[in-house]
């Protein structure tokens, strides 16, 4: 959510609405997380692409794969540095904006955050070894350092998701008379939601990053820029993205069943499901009306929601009408974000099926421009779906910051003037975005010159 300044001209004296500090705090976290999650996904996925390319180079001696590994590693370094900045800002924001939350929750779910810090340091050290280890380290040890970058980045992402999962499924303590007693940090970290969220997020990272990178290389192929180099890169990333896209619906089904058990209000908001009923319909599209408790212009598939939630089309799905209104999440935002995530995810599944058809039965499609154009169009889809998924996760948990225990409004700082902090942090993130785009564009324009596969000097490296 962003700042809203609305003037209603129907009154003689216009009424101006400016967001309050609570909305400003939530908006600041939304912008920060939405920005940082991109770098988290890159850190989880790109090192594995590097490791695959590097492994092929060591096995074949083909200089194209060496150049590709170097090119990707420089992009990873740029995004890693920016991610470190945004991650540091997020850690400060948690304490500054939500002091009550951190006071009580910190001792309980602090373990995954501390372990994430350790994973981050290992990732940074390994990345340093990898970047400066060319022709200095033994080849296979050098490859292992790159693999460690990927493994530590993956661990870092999973640990952060485990902390977020705890907010959705609090565990590892007894809540008695407002006190948090008998704290068990291991149980808190491995709460009931951590596996489904970590699985869904990890696969989503491969989908988003894979399609984003393959789309960029597809564009370079269409522009006839160093075609051999970019075709090699495209094949690695497109295959990885398409495998992940086909696995994502499986993880989505696991997540849906988990949410149905633990957070029925979130599931009901996702589907704008108001009436508790068996053989509940899965809603595609539609405009929810919270006042009238209806969904207009929706396509409904009878029984599918019950099946997805419980594995049985005859089992009832709890509707919002059976949940106190004060515990409802914002229905429209959650529903639209869920529809966007599902819609884009299914489009990527279709593209993955087309690509595998090209690989196994229609090989002439691999050289067609229309297939490359489809990947170019898909470049942002994975990340848009990823961001929409996090909106579902976070907005769908409202009004709770610790589900069923602490309300978000009770955790925000009493300090005034948060709206100005929101403006400042938003300006910082926009500036960082501009810098990253400039650096990555500069890196992409240099790729053709530095790794020109037609240059004899390159072939001798």
């Amino acid at each position: 959510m962003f700042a809203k300044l609305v003037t209603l001209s129907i009154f003689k004296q216009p009424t101006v609405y400016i967001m309050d500090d609570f909305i400003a705090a939530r908006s600041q976290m939304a912008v920060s997380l939405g920005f940082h999650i991109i770098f988290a996904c890159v850190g989880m996925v790109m090192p594995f692409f590097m490791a695959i390319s590097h492994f092929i180079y060591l096995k074949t001696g083909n200089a194209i794969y060496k150049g590709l590994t170097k090119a990707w590693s420089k992009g990873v370094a740029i995004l890693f540095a920016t991610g470190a900045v945004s991650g540091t800002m997020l850690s400060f924001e948690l304490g500054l904006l939500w002091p009550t939350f951190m006071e009580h929750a910190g001792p309980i779910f602090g373990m995954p955050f501390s372990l994430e810090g350790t994973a981050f340091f290992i990732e940074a050290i390994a990345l340093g070894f990898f970047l400066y280890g060319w022709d200095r380290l033994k080849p296979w040890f050098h490859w292992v350092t790159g693999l460690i970058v990927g493994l530590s980045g993956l661990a870092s992402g999973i640990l952060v998701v485990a902390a977020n999962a705890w907010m959705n499924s609090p565990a590892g303590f007894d809540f008695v008379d407002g006190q948090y007693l008998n704290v068990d940090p291991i149980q808190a970290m491995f709460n009931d939601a951590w596996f489904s969220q970590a699985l869904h997020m990890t696969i989503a990272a491969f989908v988003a990053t894979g399609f984003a990178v393959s789309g960029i290389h597809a564009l370079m192929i269409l522009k006839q820029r160093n075609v051999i180099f970019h075709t090699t890169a495209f094949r690695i990333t497109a295959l990885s993205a398409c495998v992940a896209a086909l696995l994502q619906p499986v993880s989505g089904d696991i997540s849906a069943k988990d949410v149905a058990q633990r957070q029925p209000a979130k599931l009901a908001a996702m589907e704008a499901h108001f009436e508790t009923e068996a053989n509940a319909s899965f809603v595609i599209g539609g405009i929810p009306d919270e006042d009238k408790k209806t969904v207009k212009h929706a396509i409904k598939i009878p029984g599918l929601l019950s099946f997805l939630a419980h594995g049985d089309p005859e089992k009832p799905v709890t509707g919002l009408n059976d949940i106190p209104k004060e515990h409802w999440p914002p229905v429209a935002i959650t529903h639209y974000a869920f529809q966007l995530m599902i819609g884009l995810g299914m489009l990527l599944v279709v593209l993955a099926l087309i690509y595998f058809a090209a690989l196994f039965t229609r090989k002439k499609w691999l050289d067609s421009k229309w297939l490359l154009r489809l990947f170019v169009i898909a470049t942002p889809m994975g990340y848009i779906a990823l961001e929409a998924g996090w909106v579902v996760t976070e907005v769908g948990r409202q009004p709770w910051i610790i589900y069923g225990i602490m309300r978000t409004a009770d955790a925000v700082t009493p300090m005034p003037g948060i709206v100005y902090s929101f403006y400042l942090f938003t300006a910082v993130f926009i500036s960082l975005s501009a810098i990253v785009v400039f650096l990555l564009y500069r890196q992409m324009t240099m790729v053709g010159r530095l790794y020109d596969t037609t240059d004899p000097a390159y072939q001798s490296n």
Side-chain angles (χ1 to χ4, degrees):
M1 289 180 290
F2 297 91
K4 291 190 292 184
L5 186 60
V6 182
T7 302
L8 301 182
S9 58
I10 59 174
F11 300 108
K12 291 183 179 179
Q13 300 215 341
T15 303
V16 178
Y17 296 93
I18 302 177
M19 73 169 144
D20 58 24
D21 288 330
F22 173 59
I23 297 300
R26 288 185 60 192
S27 299
Q28 183 172 323
M29 287 300 298
V31 171
S32 303
L33 286 167
F35 183 87
H36 180 71
I37 195 173
I38 296 174
F39 305 112
C41 289
V42 171
M44 293 170 69
V45 177
M46 280 303 300
F48 289 105
F49 293 162
M50 287 162 38
I52 293 170
S53 178
H54 195 185
F55 179 84
I56 297 174
Y57 165 67
L58 292 176
K59 295 295 287 186
T60 65
N62 189 330
I64 294 176
Y65 291 98
K66 180 180 180 180
L68 178 58
T69 306
K70 285 187 173 183
W72 277 344
S73 67
K74 290 180 179 180
V76 168
I78 292 170
L79 293 169
F80 179 85
T82 314
V85 174
S86 62
T88 302
M89 293 171 69
L90 268 173
S91 64
F92 280 108
E93 286 177 307
L94 279 172
L96 292 173
L97 299 177
W98 313 101
T100 305
F101 168 70
M102 291 304 296
E103 176 187 358
H104 297 290
I108 304 172
F109 81 149
M111 177 174 285
F113 273 128
S114 61
L115 293 176
E116 190 274 335
T118 302
F120 174 81
F121 283 121
I122 293 173
E123 183 181 7
I125 293 169
L127 182 60
F129 272 106
F130 185 79
L131 291 174
Y132 297 101
W134 290 100
D135 303 321
R136 295 181 178 89
L137 301 174
K138 291 184 177 181
W140 284 105
F141 178 77
H142 184 216
W143 177 79
V144 169
T145 63
L147 185 62
I148 291 174
V149 174
L151 292 173
S152 55
L154 186 64
S156 180
I158 290 174
L159 287 165
V160 170
V161 171
N164 178 267
W166 178 85
M167 298 166 68
N168 286 289
S169 180
F173 65 97
D174 294 325
F175 188 66
V176 181
D177 297 329
Q179 299 295 315
Y180 298 80
L181 308 174
N182 303 321
V183 172
D184 183 346
I186 299 296
Q187 186 182 2
M189 184 166 64
F190 296 107
N191 54 79
D192 291 340
W194 86 270
F195 175 76
S196 61
Q197 280 198 210
L199 177 66
H200 197 58
M201 176 61 194
T202 300
I203 297 176
F206 275 88
V207 172
T209 305
F211 277 107
V213 178
S214 62
I216 291 171
H217 288 292
L219 180 62
M220 294 298 106
I221 297 170
L222 289 171
K223 289 186 174 183
Q224 295 294 302
R225 305 271 184 86
N226 203 350
V227 174
I228 297 176
F229 177 88
H230 288 293
T231 299
T232 302
F234 174 79
R235 288 173 179 169
I236 294 174
T237 54
L239 180 61
S240 301
C242 290
V243 170
L246 295 181
L247 292 175
Q248 189 69 314
V250 178
S251 70
D253 180 66
I254 294 172
S255 296
K257 288 178 169 57
D258 179 64
V259 169
Q261 293 180 0
R262 295 183 298 96
Q263 296 176 301
K266 178 186 287 187
L267 180 68
M270 288 160 58
E271 276 294 295
H273 181 67
F274 291 96
E275 297 292 340
T276 300
E277 58 185 359
N279 199 36
S281 298
F282 183 85
V283 172
I284 300 176
I287 302 173
D289 187 328
E290 293 187 45
D291 295 327
K292 295 181 180 179
K293 301 178 181 179
T294 59
V295 184
K296 300 177 181 178
H297 314 299
I299 299 173
K300 297 185 178 182
I301 305 176
L304 185 56
L305 181 59
S306 291
F307 179 78
L308 292 175
H310 303 296
D312 183 351
E314 297 304 321
K315 278 198 171 183
V317 176
T318 303
L320 287 167
N321 287 343
D322 288 334
I323 298 170
K325 187 75 178 283
E326 63 270 20
H327 294 167
W328 286 18
V331 177
I333 295 174
T334 307
H335 176 71
Y336 294 141
F338 179 68
Q339 294 294 311
L340 182 61
M341 178 187 70
I342 293 294
L344 292 175
M346 294 312 298
L347 287 176
L348 294 177
V349 166
V350 171
L351 179 54
L353 292 173
I354 293 172
Y355 185 71
F356 281 119
L359 280 178
F360 296 112
T361 63
R362 299 287 189 273
K363 291 190 180 296
K364 63 180 181 180
W365 290 359
L366 294 174
D367 298 322
S368 61
K369 290 185 178 181
W370 64 264
L371 182 62
L372 293 172
R373 289 192 183 102
L374 288 179
F375 274 89
V376 172
I377 293 170
T379 299
M381 286 186 180
Y383 276 112
I384 295 172
L386 186 93
E387 298 281 7
W390 272 103
V391 171
V392 172
T393 300
E394 299 303 293
V395 177
R397 189 183 62 244
Q398 300 306 314
W400 308 100
I401 192 168
I402 306 176
Y403 190 73
I405 302 293
M406 180 185 293
R407 298 176 73 89
T408 308
D410 297 331
V412 71
T413 177
M415 182 181 69
I418 298 300
V419 65
Y420 301 108
S421 172
F422 165 69
Y423 296 145
L424 175 62
F425 274 72
T426 300
V428 170
F429 282 123
I430 291 174
S431 301
L432 283 174
S433 299
I435 293 170
V436 169
V437 170
F438 169 75
L439 291 174
L440 290 178
Y441 176 78
R442 185 168 177 267
Q443 174 64 18
M444 286 300 300
T445 57
M446 292 174 62
V447 164
R449 185 174 75 252
L450 295 177
Y451 307 114
D452 185 358
T453 53
T454 63
D455 187 348
Y458 173 81
Q459 294 289 351
S460 64
N461 286 339

